[in-house]
C-alpha cells in the first residue's frame, strides 16, 4: 500500500459547522459570513500546517495542557508529538486509539495545585467525531475530563489522562483537510462523493487518498455505490508521471499509480476505475496527467501517457444534468416556463391545472409529477399525485391526506414522495405510461421522529436528504437484489441549525441548501457529512422562505413576496438574492429538474 491511515481506528470530533460554525443562543443563530461553492480545481487551498507545539521550559501547567491538545492534532507515529507532554509512564499507558474528540470553547479549570502536582477539569463543547478513514459525524453535548500533572525534572508533564485523543477545533482545522473520495453510482453514469478528513502533507496526499479509495466507501454508503478499486492494491510508491519520487502531488508533473489486482477487469470497469481515481485526485488539486497501470500494463492502451479529467468527462460530478431544461415555476396552481423576458404556460395538464400544490420535473424535463388538491375535506384524501409527460396528460397515481413535493430518480422514470408524513413511495411509469406505486423501506428512519416533510434525491441517486420533525438528515438509497428500495443509514447534518428546517435541495453531490424558519439568515448551505454550514446571504429576502430549489450554479427560493435567485458564480462582495424578473411580484414556487 502507498501509505497507511495513521492508527486507522480513530474518530475525530469537529465543530457542527466545521470550517464555519453555527452557534446558537436563545433561539437565534450566529452564522458565518456567506461563501460561494466552487468547482473542482478552483478552490484556493492553504497548505496543511504540520507544525504543532512542543513542551517549552517554564510553561505553566494549564498552558502546557492546552499545548498538549494542540499537539494532539498531529497523528504521526501514534501521536508522538502529544506524547512529549506526558510523563514516561503516562506516555506508555495512553491509548490514543480509543477515541478522538475535537472540541470547541475549551475551559481548563484548576481543581488543586501544590508545588509538584496539579489537577485540572477540562470542559468543552463536543461537536463531532471522525470514524475510521477520516469519516466525519456530527455530535452534540458537553465534554468533561480530568487531568493530573506532575513535575518531571522541574517541568510540568501530564501524568494521568483519559484514553483517546482530544483536539481543539481551530488547531484541527490547520492540520486536517476535507477531501472527497469518488465512488460510482449503481449505473456507472457518474461518481458519488464520500467526504473524508485527512492529515497529510502534499506529498503524502496522493497515496493517502488512493489507499482510502481502495479501502472503500463508509459503511453507510457501501450499499448505494460501487467501488471498482476495492479488489486492487498499490504495492509500490506513487510517483510523478515520469517515475520521479520527489514532489509527488506537488505542482505539475502528474502522478503514476501502478495497481495490482484482477486481470479480468472489463474495458468498461477499467474506464470506471480511471474515473474514480482521476476525480478523487483532481478534487484534491493533484494535477495530472494520471498515468495508471494494472499488473504492469497500461490500464487502457489509448491512455499510455496518462488520463485527464476530459477523458472521464462522462462521469463528471460537476455536470448539471438539468442545465438545458431551465427554470420553471408553479404559479396560480399551474406550471409555467420562465425565461428572461416572461413566463409561458406549459402545454398539457400541468400547465392548465389550477390546483397544483407542488411539482417536480424529471432530470431531462420530459416528465412531471405534481401534488394536486382533490377538493375533498378530511377525513377524505385531500391530495393526489399526478404524473405524466410534462406537456401531456397527467394520470392520478396516489391519494393521501398529505404528499411531499415529489423528487425524481436520476436514472429511471420514477418519482418519489412521502404520503401522510410517514410512508415513502416510488411511482414508476410502466411501458404503457401507467403509474406503478411501490413502497420504500424506511424502517431505519423510524427512530428519527414522527413526520417527514421533505424528501429530495441527490442527482447521483446514491443519497436522499430528508426533513423529519424540522431536522435535516442524509440517508443512503439502497436497491436490493429483488429491485426494492430502502432508505438506510440516516446521519444528522445541519446540527445546530437553531430553527426548524422548512425546505431543502441538493446543489451538488456533497452540498445541500436548507431554508429554515428564522428571520435572520433564513438560508444556509450544509455539507453532506455535516462538517460545514455556511450562511447564505440574506439581503433582499423577506422571511419566511418556504421553498428552495438548487443547482450547482444557482439557488432559487420563494419567500413571503416573490421568487429570488442567488448566483453562486457572483463575486462574494456582489453576491445577494435577486428577484427573478419574469416572476416579479408574483407569488410562485421555483422549479428546477430533479
Amino acid at each position: 500500500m502507498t501509505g497507511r491511515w495513521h492508527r486507522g481506528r480513530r474518530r475525530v470530533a469537529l465543530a457542527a459547522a466545521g470550517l464555519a460554525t453555527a452557534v446558537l443562543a436563545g433561539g437565534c443563530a450566529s452564522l458565518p459570513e456567506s461563501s460561494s461553492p466552487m468547482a473542482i480545481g478552483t478552490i484556493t487551498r492553504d497548505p496543511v500546517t504540520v507544525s504543532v507545539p512542543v513542551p517549552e521550559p517554564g510553561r505553566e501547567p494549564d498552558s502546557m495542557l492546552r499545548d498538549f491538545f494542540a499537539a494532539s492534532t498531529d497523528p504521526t507515529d501514534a501521536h508522538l508529538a502529544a506524547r512529549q507532554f506526558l510523563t514516561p509512564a503516562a506516555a506508555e499507558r495512553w491509548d490514543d486509539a480509543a477515541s478522538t474528540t475535537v472540541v470547541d470553547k475549551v475551559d481548563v479549570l484548576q481543581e488543586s495545585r501544590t508545588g509538584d502536582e496539579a489537577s485540572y477539569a477540562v470542559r468543552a463543547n463536543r461537536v463531532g467525531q471522525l470514524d475510521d478513514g477520516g469519516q466525519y459525524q456530527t455530535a452534540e453535548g458537553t465534554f468533561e475530563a480530568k487531568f493530573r500533572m506532575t513535575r518531571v525534572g522541574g517541568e510540568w508533564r501530564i501524568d494521568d489522562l483519559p484514553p483517546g485523543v482530544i483536539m481543539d477545533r481551530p488547531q484541527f482545522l490547520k492540520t486536517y483537510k476535507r477531501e472527497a473520495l469518488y465512488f460510482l453510482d449503481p449505473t456507472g453514469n457518474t461518481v458519488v462523493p464520500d467526504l473524508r478528513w485527512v492529515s497529510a502533507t502534499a506529498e503524502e496526499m496522493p497515496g493517502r487518498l488512493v489507499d482510502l479509495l481502495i479501502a472503500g466507501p463508509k459503511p453507510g454508503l457501501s450499499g448505494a455505490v460501487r467501488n471498482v478499486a476495492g479488489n486492487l492494491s498499490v504495492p509500490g510508491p506513487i510517483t510523478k508521471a515520469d517515475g520521479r519520487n520527489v514532489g509527488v502531488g506537488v505542482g505539475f508533473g502528474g502522478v503514476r499509480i501502478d495497481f495490482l489486482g484482477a486481470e479480468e477487469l472489463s474495458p468498461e470497469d477499467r474506464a470506471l476505475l480511471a474515473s474514480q481515481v482521476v476525480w478523487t485526485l483532481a478534487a484534491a488539486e493533484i494535477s495530472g496527467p494520471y498515468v495508471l497501470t494494472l499488473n504492469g500494463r497500461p490500464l487502457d492502451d489509448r491512455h499510455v501517457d496518462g488520463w485527464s479529467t476530459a477523458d472521464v468527462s462522462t462521469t463528471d460530478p460537476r455536470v448539471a444534468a438539468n442545465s438545458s431544461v431551465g427554470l420553471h415555476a408553479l404559479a396560480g396552481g399551474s406550471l409555467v416556463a420562465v425565461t428572461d423576458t416572461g413566463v409561458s404556460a406549459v402545454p398539457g395538464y400541468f400547465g392548465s391545472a389550477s390546483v397544483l400544490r407542488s411539482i417536480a420535473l424529471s432530470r431531462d424535463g420530459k416528465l412531471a409529477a405534481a401534488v394536486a388538491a382533490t377538493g375533498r375535506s378530511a377525513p377524505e384524501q385531500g391530495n393526489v399525485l399526478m404524473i405524466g409527460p410534462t406537456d401531456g396528460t397527467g394520470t392520478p397515481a396516489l391519494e393521501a391526506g398529505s404528499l411531499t413535493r415529489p423528487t425524481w430518480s436520476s436514472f429511471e422514470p420514477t418519482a418519489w414522495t412521502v404520503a401522510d408524513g410517514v410512508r415513502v413511495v416510488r411511482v414508476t411509469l410502466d411501458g404503457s405510461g401507467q403509474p406503478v406505486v411501490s413502497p420504500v423501506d424506511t424502517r431505519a428512519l423510524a427512530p428519527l421522529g414522527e413526520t417527514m416533510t421533505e424528501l429530495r434525491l441527490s442527482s447521483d441517486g446514491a443519497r436522499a436528504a430528508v426533513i423529519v420533525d424540522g431536522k435535516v438528515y442524509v440517508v443512503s438509497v439502497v436497491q436490493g437484489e429483488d429491485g426494492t428500495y430502502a432508505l438506510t443509514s440516516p446521519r444528522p447534518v445541519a446540527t445546530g441549525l437553531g430553527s426548524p428546517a422548512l425546505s431543502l435541495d441538493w446543489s451538488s453531490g456533497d452540498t445541500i441548501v436548507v431554508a429554515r424558519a428564522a428571520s435572520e439568515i433564513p438560508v444556509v448551505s450544509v455539507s453532506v457529512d455535516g462538517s460545514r454550514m455556511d450562511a447564505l446571504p440574506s439581503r433582499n429576502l423577506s422571511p419566511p422562505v418556504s421553498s428552495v430549489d438548487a443547482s450547482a450554479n444557482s439557488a432559487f427560493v420563494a419567500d413571503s413576496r416573490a421568487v429570488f435567485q442567488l448566483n453562486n458564480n457572483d463575486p462574494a462582495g456582489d453576491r445577494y438574492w435577486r428577484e427573478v424578473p419574469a416572476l416579479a411580484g408574483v407569488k410562485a414556487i421555483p422549479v428546477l429538474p430533479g
Side-chain angles (χ1 to χ4, degrees), residues 240 244 247 249-254 287-289:
K240 289 278 195 181
R244 287 177 295 153
V250 180
F252 299 105
S287 300

Side-chain angles (χ1 to χ4, degrees), residues 372-464:
T374 63
R376 301 195 298 268
S377 302
E380 297 294 324
Q381 307 288 25
N383 293 275
V384 59
L385 184 72
M386 305 294 293
I387 190 170
T390 302
D391 58 357
T393 302
T395 302
L398 172 70
E399 289 190 354
S402 68
L403 292 165
T404 61
R405 172 176 53 157
T407 182
W408 283 89
S409 168
S410 59
F411 52 87
E412 60 181 350
T414 302
W416 296 49
T417 187
V418 184
D420 298 319
V422 294
R423 184 164 54 100
V424 178
V425 297
R426 300 168 60 251
V427 182
T428 302
L429 292 176
D430 64 16
S432 63
Q434 294 302 304
V436 178
V437 180
S438 305
V440 175
D441 184 350
T442 58
R443 286 174 293 178
L445 278 60
L448 303 183
E450 295 183 356
T451 305
M452 192 183 310
T453 55
E454 184 86 290
L455 166 68
R456 303 295 286 169
L457 296 171
S458 61
S459 61
D460 53 49
R463 297 183 177 100

Side-chain angles (χ1 to χ4, degrees), residues 42-350:
T42 65
I43 300 175
T44 301
R45 296 171 180 257
D46 294 329
V48 172
T49 302
V50 295
S51 175
V52 294
V54 297
E56 295 182 8
R59 193 82 160 150
E60 284 295 300
D62 58 338
S63 298
M64 189 72 74
L65 192 55
R66 290 184 181 275
D67 290 345
F68 165 73
F69 296 147
S72 296
T73 59
D74 182 1
T76 306
D77 296 330
H79 290 90
L80 179 62
R83 290 182 191 273
Q84 297 180 64
F85 291 84
L86 311 183
T87 64
E92 182 67 25
R93 293 192 310 266
W94 182 41
D95 181 9
D96 65 316
S99 64
T100 306
T101 306
V102 175
V103 294
D104 198 18
K105 298 184 177 179
V106 180
D107 289 329
V108 178
L109 307 174
Q110 180 178 303
E111 292 191 328
S112 64
R113 179 172 175 176
T114 64
D116 292 324
E117 292 190 350
S119 63
Y120 290 88
V122 174
R123 296 172 186 167
N125 293 335
R126 185 193 303 271
V127 287
Q129 66 182 34
L130 203 68
D131 292 332
D132 293 350
Q135 303 170 43
Y136 174 83
Q137 290 196 60
T138 59
E140 294 182 284
T142 301
F143 173 87
E144 295 186 7
K146 304 286 187 180
F147 290 79
R148 188 176 70 242
M149 306 188 70
T150 188
R151 287 188 187 271
V152 176
E155 301 296 338
W156 289 102
R157 294 293 184 267
I158 301 168
D159 189 48
D160 188 53
L161 72 166
V165 174
I166 306 159
M167 300 187 196
D168 192 14
R169 183 179 67 92
Q171 186 68 24
F172 171 84
L173 296 175
K174 294 179 181 179
T175 52
Y176 281 74
K177 291 174 67 178
R178 192 184 70 180
E179 303 290 3
L181 306 179
Y182 281 98
F183 299 98
L184 298 159
D185 82 307
T187 67
N189 289 328
T190 190
V191 289
V192 179
D194 183 357
L195 300 183
R196 305 297 180 94
W197 286 86
V198 183
S199 176
T201 65
E203 291 189 355
E204 294 171 335
M205 190 63 76
R208 194 67 54 79
L209 293 177
V210 171
D211 279 353
L212 289 172
L213 195 65
I214 290 172
K218 62 187 63 173
L221 189 61
S222 60
V225 297
R226 292 179 59 202
N227 182 23
V228 179
N231 294 321
L232 305 178
S233 64
V234 180
I238 292 177
T239 67
K240 289 278 195 181
D242 61 4
R244 287 177 295 153
N245 291 313
V246 179
V248 179
V250 180
F252 299 105
V255 295
R256 179 188 177 95
I257 307 173
D258 297 315
F259 288 100
L260 184 66
E263 289 275 8
E264 63 271 15
L265 277 185
S266 67
E268 292 78 12
D269 280 349
R270 288 170 181 256
L272 293 175
L273 171 62
S275 290
Q276 288 188 246
V277 174
V278 169
W279 288 122
T280 296
L281 297 181
E285 295 193 334
I286 298 169
S287 300
Y290 309 97
V291 178
L292 308 178
T293 70
L294 177 60
N295 300 324
R297 296 182 57 83
L299 188 64
D300 188 319
D301 288 337
R302 296 170 297 177
H303 301 289
V304 174
D305 295 327
W307 298 70
S308 69
T309 54
D311 297 322
V312 292
S313 60
T314 56
T315 58
D316 191 340
R318 305 166 300 178
V319 171
N322 55 25
S323 57
S324 62
V325 178
L327 177 66
H328 289 68
L330 193 61
S334 302
L335 180 66
V336 297
V338 182
T339 67
D340 292 337
T341 58
V343 300
S344 59
V346 173
Y349 165 78
F350 298 100

Side-chain angles (χ1 to χ4, degrees), residues 505-524:
D505 197 23
W506 296 85
S507 63
S508 68
D510 61 13
T511 306
I512 303 163
V513 179
V514 180
R516 68 190 192 111
S519 57
E520 295 183 4
I521 313 178
V523 187
V524 300

Side-chain angles (χ1 to χ4, degrees), residues 416 426 439-442 445 475-480 484-488:
W416 296 49
R426 300 168 60 251
V440 175
D441 184 350
T442 58
L445 278 60
V475 300
S476 295
V477 179
V478 178
Q479 184 178 16
T484 61
Y485 281 80
L487 298 180
T488 68

